[in-house]
Amino acid sequence: CSLSYVSRDQLKELLAVCVRVVENPALASELMPTQGGFFFGSTDYDEWYFAGLNETVKKIADLLACVSDEWEFYYQSSW
């Protein structure tokens, strides 16, 4: 549950990987594998998985398009 710095380049890399998987779902298990466990939900590559991936693509793309280069990003997990 610690706060972690995320660089703009890391966000761009995550965006690129997510877009690759959206465009070629067969790459999902290789590039963006699911994680089993109580907190993680389903491990299926189903409509919920791809809905989450599409939401991630949209949020990161929108964020990078509208904030200045001086912004810093941090991620905090809730588990």
Side-chain angles (χ1 to χ4, degrees), residues 21-70:
V21 174
V22 167
E23 291 175 349
N24 186 352
L27 295 174
S29 64
E30 175 187 345
L31 298 179
M32 194 63 70
T34 60
Q35 178 66 45
F38 175 75
F39 294 109
F40 299 109
S42 173
T43 57
D44 295 335
Y45 297 98
D46 56 13
E47 67 274 3
W48 295 103
Y49 172 88
F50 287 100
L53 211 55
N54 281 309
E55 182 178 351
T56 300
V57 166
K58 179 174 178 7
K59 287 188 180 211
I60 294 174
D62 289 349
L63 176 70
L64 292 175
C66 74
V67 298
S68 71
D69 290 339
E70 294 85 39

Side-chain angles (χ1 to χ4, degrees), residues 6-26:
V6 180
S7 71
R8 184 176 291 269
D9 286 340
Q10 288 172 313
L11 285 174
K12 289 178 181 177
E13 182 180 343
L14 176 59
L15 177 61
V17 170
C18 290
V19 167
R20 281 188 68 196
V21 174
V22 167
E23 291 175 349
N24 186 352

